[in-house]
Amino acid sequence: MAPSRRHDRESDEDRPARNHRGGDVGRDRRRRKSPIPSSSFSKRDEDRRNRGRHEKENGRGSAKSRKHQAYRHSSSDEDSDLRGRLEEKSKDVRSHYSVQRSESPEPWLDRVGKMKEEKEEKKPQQPVQQMADAVAMKTGGIYIPPHRMAQMMRDVQDKSSEAYQRLSWDALRKSINGLVNKVNATNIKNIIPELFSENLIRGRGLFCRSCMKSQMASPGFTDVFAALVAVVNTKFPEVGKLLLKRILLQFKRSFARNDKPQLLAATKFIAHLVNQQVAHEVIALELLTVLLVNPTDDSVEVAVGFVKECGALLQDLVPLGLHGVFERFRGILHEGEIDKRVQFLIEGLFAIRKAKFQGFPAIRSELDLVEQEDQFTHEMSFEDEIDPEINLDVFKASLQFLEDEKAYDDLKKSILGEESSDDEAGSEEGSDVEDDEESEEEDDEQMKIKDETETNLVNLRRTIYLTIMSSVDFEEAGHKLLKIKLEPGQEMELCIMLLECCSQERTYLRYYGLLGQRFCMINKVHQENFEKCFVQQYSMIHRLETNKLRNVAKFFAHLLGTDALPWHVLAYIRLTEEDTTSSSRIFIKILFQELSEHLGIRLLNERLNEPTMQDSFESIFPKDNPKNTRFSINFFTSIGLGGITENLREYLKNMPRLIMQQQKPVSDSSGDESGSSGSSSSDGSSSNSGSDSEAESESISDDSRHRKKLRKR
C-alpha cells in the first residue's frame, strides 16, 4: 500500500505546481515526462530520495517498511501543525466578530457609545470652510452650483478673509468665462453691460486668457471678440494693452516653433484689433515684414490671410505701406520658389485689391460700436521685451480687498449709470411715497410743458414713412395710415410725408398717386391739404432737382386726372415769360403732358374750355396782352399740345376787331359833345385802328414764322 500512497502524494505535490505555473507549462512538462524542478520541494523530500537510493542497495522490503513508517510519522506531524494553526485563527476570528453568551450586554452599549463619539468627532466642516478648501485645491475643487456658491458667500461674516477672496475670485473667473463664451454679434450689446458689472481690473488677466482661448477655439468669431475688447479698451486701456502683449507673444512663440494653427489664430486676432484701432497699423506692417522677409509656403499663406482681414483699413490709413507689401508679394510671385497653390492665393489677393477689398470689410456694421475719437490705440514692436504678466491669472490675497471692490463699484456706476429707482424701500415709507406722487401729479396738472424740440412730430413722420415703405399696395398703406391717431392740425403732415416719399423715388410710382387719390376721396380735409401742398410745391419748384420735379408733377397730374383734386388749383399758375422760370416751365410741361396721357387731347380740351372754369384757366391762357397770349400759344405748341390753344388762336386773330368794337362807343359819345372834336377823334381812331391792324398783322406774321421754325425742327 505504501507505493500507492507515495504515488498519490507525488500527484498532490505536482498539482499546485501546474496550477501556479499555468496549464500550458504543465502540459509541456508532462509531454517531456520529466520531474518538475521546483523550489517548493522541501529538504525532507530530498533526504527521502537519498534514503530510498541507499535502501535500494541494501534490499527492497526493509526499505519499503522504513519509508512507510517515516511517511506516517511525517504526515502526523504535518496534520498536528496545521490543526494548531487553524485553531489559533478561529480564536482570533471569534474574538473579533463575536461575543460570548455569558457576557452581559454592557459591552454592546459601550461600543454604541464609542461609535456615536467617533461620528461626532468626524462631523463635516462648515460649508464655507469646505468650499474654501475645495477651491484651494490644485484640481479646482468640487462643482458647486452658482446659487449655492452665492449663498455661501453671503454666509461669510468676514468679507476680507482669504477664504472669501478665494470664493469671489472663483466666481469672477466663472462669470467672465461664461460671458465671453456666449458673446456673438447679436447679443454683444447686452453682454457688454454685464461684463462691466464684473471687476475687470482685478480679473483683467482672466479676461485676456478667456478671450484668447475662445478665439483659438472659434476663429470665426474673432471679429466679435475684437469688438468686445475694443469696447472694454475705451474704459480700461490697460486691459487692451495686456491682451495685445499676450497675442504678440503668442505670435512670436508660434512663429518660432512653426505652429501653424496658433499662428493663424494670432494673426487673425491682431488683424481685427488693428481694424478696431486697438492696435496701431504699424504693428500690422511689421508683422507682414516678419512673415515675408524669408518667405515659405506657410508664412506666405498666413500673410495673405492677414492682408485679406485688415487690407481695407490699411488701404485707407497707410496706402504706401500696403503698396510696398504688395510689391513684395509680386516679387515672391516672380521668383516662383513657392508652391503653385500659394501662388494662386497671391493672385487672388491681387484681384481682391483691385476690387477694393469688396467682401472683406474692416468692421461689420453691427460690430462698429466705438467712435474713433473714444478709442485708445496701443503702439508696440515685435523687438521689444514683452511681459505677459501671468501672475494676474492666479489668485492672490489682497489686504485692501474691500477698498478695491468699493472703488470699482463707484467706477461701475459712473460707466453704467445709477439706477433711477430704489428697490429696497421699506413698507413704512409707502405712505410717504404715495403722498409725494399725488403732489407731483398736482404739480403736473398745474404746469404744462411745451415741447419745442418737436420730438412727437419727428416720431409721427417716422411712423408714417415706415408704414408707407413697408406696405405691399396702396390699399394696405391707406388702411394702416388711417389707424394712426392724428391730433388736430397734424393731417397736413400725412400729405407732406406722402409727397416727400414720392419725390425721393428714382422713377414715379403709381402707388403714391393711388394712395393720395384714396385720401382725397375719403376726407375733404386731405383734399384741402393737397391743394396747399400744390401751391407750396409750385412756389418752391426752383429748389427741386429734375427727378424730384418730374415725380411731383406726375403725382399732381394723377390727382387732377382722377378729379381727386379740383382744377381751380391751376389758377395759381401764371404762364407768362416774366412769371415763369425754367423749372416752373418744366413742371407745367410734365403736368399737362401727363394730363393728356390720362384723359386724351380731346377730353382735356373740353375740360379746359368749360365756361364755369374759365376764370381759373385765365392765368394759363392769358388774354390781357398779345405778347402773353402769343407766349402761351408758342409754349403749348412747342410741347406738342397746340390743339388746346385753338380758342386762344381765334382770340388772337379777332383781337383787332374786338378792340375796334370797344373803341366805337367811346368815339360816338365824344362826337355828340363836339363836332370838331368828333372829326379829330375819328381821324385819331382811324389812325389807332390802323396801328392796331398793323400790330395784329405783325403778331400773325411772327406766329407764322415761329410755326415754320418748328416744322423745320
Side-chain angles (χ1 to χ4, degrees):
M1 297 300 294
S4 63
R5 292 190 64 178
R6 181 183 177 187
H7 180 72
D8 295 338
R9 177 79 175 177
E10 290 176 358
S11 64
D12 293 335
E13 291 175 355
D14 293 342
R15 189 175 297 110
R18 286 196 301 271
N19 292 337
H20 284 295
R21 295 180 178 273
D24 295 337
V25 177
R27 264 185 251 113
D28 294 337
R29 285 173 179 167
R30 282 198 304 271
R31 203 176 295 122
R32 290 195 299 268
K33 294 182 180 180
S34 61
I36 301 173
S38 174
S39 61
S40 62
F41 290 116
S42 62
K43 189 175 181 180
R44 183 180 64 251
D45 298 331
E46 294 179 0
D47 294 340
R48 189 166 58 248
R49 290 195 199 95
N50 294 333
R51 201 181 304 117
R53 294 193 197 98
H54 181 70
E55 288 176 354
K56 258 186 181 179
E57 298 175 357
N58 298 331
R60 183 175 297 273
S62 60
K64 286 182 180 180
S65 61
R66 281 192 293 270
K67 284 180 182 179
H68 180 62
Q69 291 176 1
Y71 175 76
R72 289 183 63 184
H73 179 70
S74 61
S75 61
S76 62
D77 293 341
E78 290 176 357
D79 293 341
S80 61
D81 294 339
L82 181 62
R83 193 178 300 110
R85 287 196 297 271
L86 290 175
E87 288 178 357
E88 290 176 359
K89 284 193 175 185
S90 63
K91 286 180 181 180
D92 294 338
V93 170
R94 277 196 298 270
S95 63
H96 190 269
Y97 290 102
S98 64
V99 179
Q100 296 292 336
R101 291 183 181 179
S102 62
E103 293 178 353
S104 62
E106 293 179 358
W108 278 102
L109 296 175
D110 295 340
R111 290 196 175 212
V112 171
K114 288 181 180 180
M115 291 173 65
K116 288 183 178 180
E117 291 176 0
E118 290 177 358
K119 285 184 179 180
E120 291 178 357
E121 291 177 358
K122 294 182 180 180
K123 278 185 179 179
Q125 298 176 345
Q126 295 295 328
V128 177
Q129 187 64 32
Q130 183 182 3
M131 178 73 179
D133 296 341
V135 174
M137 294 173 62
K138 292 183 180 180
T139 57
I142 59 176
Y143 171 75
I144 296 179
H147 68 278
R148 179 63 175 162
M149 180 180 290
Q151 181 64 33
M152 289 180 176
M153 291 177 68
R154 285 194 294 269
D155 294 341
V156 177
Q157 301 297 330
D158 187 7
K159 302 296 182 181
S160 61
S161 62
E162 184 177 354
Y164 181 80
Q165 292 186 31
R166 281 188 181 275
L167 292 175
S168 64
W169 174 266
D170 193 58
L172 178 64
R173 175 178 56 81
K174 291 180 179 179
S175 178
I176 291 176
N177 287 339
L179 292 173
V180 172
N181 287 334
K182 69 180 181 181
V183 69
N184 55 43
T186 306
N187 64 0
I188 186 170
K189 294 182 180 179
N190 300 325
I191 293 294
I192 288 172
E194 297 181 18
L195 189 62
F196 277 123
S197 63
E198 304 294 336
N199 193 341
L200 289 178
I201 296 178
R202 185 189 182 200
R204 58 185 183 274
L206 299 175
F207 174 73
C208 296
R209 184 177 66 177
S210 180
C211 286
M212 293 178 66
K213 284 187 176 181
S214 300
Q215 187 268 340
M216 185 69 186
S218 303
F221 289 86
T222 305
D223 54 349
V224 179
F225 297 127
L228 184 66
V229 173
V231 176
V232 174
N233 186 64
T234 58
K235 305 300 180 182
F236 306 108
E238 62 273 10
V239 178
K241 187 175 182 180
L242 177 62
L243 179 66
L244 186 58
K245 282 182 180 180
R246 294 189 178 185
I247 296 174
L248 292 181
L249 187 61
Q250 179 186 354
F251 173 82
K252 292 172 68 174
R253 288 176 178 174
S254 58
F255 184 74
R257 297 170 183 172
N258 200 16
D259 189 354
K260 188 176 178 181
Q262 283 211 3
L263 187 66
L264 287 171
T267 53
K268 193 168 185 179
F269 211 160
I270 293 172
H272 285 285
L273 290 178
V274 171
N275 289 336
Q276 292 284 351
Q277 294 292 295
V278 177
H280 200 271
E281 57 270 12
V282 175
I283 297 176
L285 297 177
E286 190 174 354
L287 184 145
L288 290 171
T289 305
V290 171
L291 290 173
L292 299 178
V293 63
N294 294 318
T296 61
D297 292 344
D298 292 336
S299 66
V300 173
E301 183 180 354
V302 173
V304 169
F306 182 81
V307 174
K308 286 181 181 179
E309 297 292 340
C310 64
L313 183 76
L314 296 178
Q315 184 70 33
D316 296 335
L317 298 181
V318 282
L320 294 178
L322 187 64
H323 178 72
V325 172
F326 273 95
E327 288 299 321
R328 179 57 182 156
F329 276 123
R330 195 186 306 276
I332 294 171
L333 198 60
H334 289 324
E335 289 172 4
E337 296 180 358
I338 57 176
D339 190 35
K340 289 288 185 183
R341 181 182 65 86
V342 184
Q343 292 181 13
F344 287 140
L345 291 177
I346 297 176
E347 292 176 358
L349 182 62
F350 275 96
I352 293 172
R353 182 198 183 190
K354 187 176 181 181
K356 297 181 180 180
F357 293 94
Q358 290 183 0
F360 296 92
I363 304 175
R364 286 191 287 170
S365 59
E366 59 267 24
L367 298 177
D368 191 5
L369 305 174
V370 181
E371 297 293 337
Q372 189 172 1
E373 58 270 11
D374 296 338
Q375 189 57 269
F376 289 90
T377 304
H378 304 284
E379 295 185 14
M380 294 183 189
S381 176
F382 286 92
E383 297 178 358
D384 299 339
E385 293 184 2
I386 300 174
D387 182 16
E389 301 181 30
I390 303 298
N391 57 335
L392 296 175
D393 300 350
V394 184
F395 167 74
K396 184 178 180 181
S398 175
L399 299 177
Q400 300 178 351
F401 175 73
L402 296 179
E403 291 80 358
D404 295 341
E405 291 292 323
K406 185 177 180 181
Y408 187 81
D409 288 340
D410 297 338
L411 183 61
K412 177 177 67 176
K413 290 179 181 178
S414 64
I415 294 173
L416 301 178
E418 297 183 359
E419 296 181 356
S420 60
S421 61
D422 189 9
D423 297 331
E424 299 179 355
S427 59
E428 297 178 356
E429 300 177 358
S431 60
D432 298 337
V433 173
E434 291 178 357
D435 296 338
D436 294 340
E437 290 179 354
E438 291 177 358
S439 62
E440 288 178 0
E441 289 178 357
E442 293 176 357
D443 295 339
D444 292 338
E445 291 177 358
Q446 294 176 0
M447 181 175 54
K448 294 181 180 180
I449 299 174
K450 185 177 180 181
D451 186 11
E452 295 291 344
T453 60
E454 296 184 348
T455 305
N456 297 332
L457 185 61
V458 173
N459 293 333
L460 175 63
R461 289 178 178 176
R462 183 186 296 111
T463 304
I464 294 172
Y465 173 79
L466 294 176
T467 304
I468 293 173
M469 290 300 175
S470 62
S471 299
V472 178
D473 56 0
F474 74 96
E475 294 180 349
E476 179 185 352
H479 182 70
K480 290 181 178 178
L481 290 173
L482 288 174
K483 284 186 175 181
I484 299 175
K485 295 182 179 179
L486 299 175
E487 297 181 1
Q490 289 184 343
E491 294 84 359
M492 188 67 179
E493 298 299 328
L494 181 62
C495 302
I496 292 174
M497 286 304 300
L498 182 59
L499 196 59
E500 286 292 329
C501 294
C502 178
S503 64
Q504 295 295 331
E505 297 290 343
R506 292 184 179 179
T507 58
Y508 172 72
L509 298 179
R510 194 165 173 263
Y511 165 83
Y512 296 103
L514 294 171
L515 187 57
Q517 176 189 350
R518 179 61 60 90
F519 278 105
C520 290
M521 297 294 185
I522 290 175
N523 195 347
K524 192 176 181 180
V525 176
H526 296 299
Q527 191 180 49
E528 294 175 355
N529 290 332
F530 276 114
E531 290 180 23
K532 295 178 182 178
C533 288
F534 180 86
V535 175
Q536 185 179 3
Q537 287 294 326
Y538 186 77
S539 63
M540 297 187 302
I541 203 69
H542 57 279
R543 300 182 184 178
L544 299 181
E545 300 174 359
T546 306
N547 188 41
K548 292 183 178 180
L549 190 148
R550 182 181 295 108
N551 291 344
V552 171
K554 290 184 177 181
F555 176 79
F556 284 114
H558 181 91
L559 296 184
L560 290 170
T562 55
D563 290 329
L565 201 64
W567 285 62
H568 63 76
V569 296
L570 297 178
Y572 188 77
I573 300 175
R574 181 166 176 79
L575 187 58
T576 61
E577 188 175 0
E578 292 81 9
D579 297 329
T580 57
T581 61
S582 59
S583 299
S584 61
R585 286 193 286 269
I586 293 173
F587 177 80
I588 298 170
K589 169 190 170 183
I590 298 172
L591 180 68
F592 278 91
Q593 285 179 346
E594 286 294 316
L595 285 173
S596 66
E597 290 182 6
H598 278 288
L599 304 175
I601 192 67
R602 184 180 61 81
L603 186 57
L604 177 61
N605 200 8
E606 292 177 0
R607 296 294 298 271
L608 293 174
N609 292 326
E610 286 184 5
T612 58
M613 299 295 294
Q614 292 306 309
D615 294 338
S616 301
F617 302 147
E618 189 177 5
S619 59
I620 299 177
F621 305 108
K623 298 179 182 179
D624 56 345
N625 193 347
K627 180 182 176 182
N628 296 337
T629 306
R630 202 176 298 116
F631 180 81
S632 177
I633 293 171
N634 294 338
F635 175 78
F636 284 109
T637 304
S638 63
I639 65 174
L641 298 177
I644 64 175
T645 62
E646 293 297 333
N647 293 336
L648 200 60
R649 291 175 188 275
E650 293 294 332
Y651 175 79
L652 188 61
K653 289 179 182 179
N654 299 327
M655 186 177 289
R657 189 185 310 164
L658 294 174
I659 294 174
M660 290 175 64
Q661 291 177 359
Q662 290 175 1
Q663 290 180 354
K664 275 182 181 181
V666 177
S667 61
D668 293 340
S669 62
S670 62
D672 294 337
E673 292 176 358
S674 61
S676 60
S677 62
S679 61
S680 62
S681 64
S682 62
D683 295 337
S685 62
S686 62
S687 62
N688 290 334
S689 62
S691 62
D692 292 337
S693 61
E694 290 176 1
E696 177 63 22
S697 61
E698 287 178 1
S699 63
I700 293 173
S701 62
D702 291 340
D703 191 17
S704 61
R705 282 197 300 270
H706 184 68
R707 286 185 180 180
K708 288 180 181 179
K709 288 181 181 179
L710 291 176
R711 288 172 184 173
K712 287 180 181 180
R713 290 178 184 175

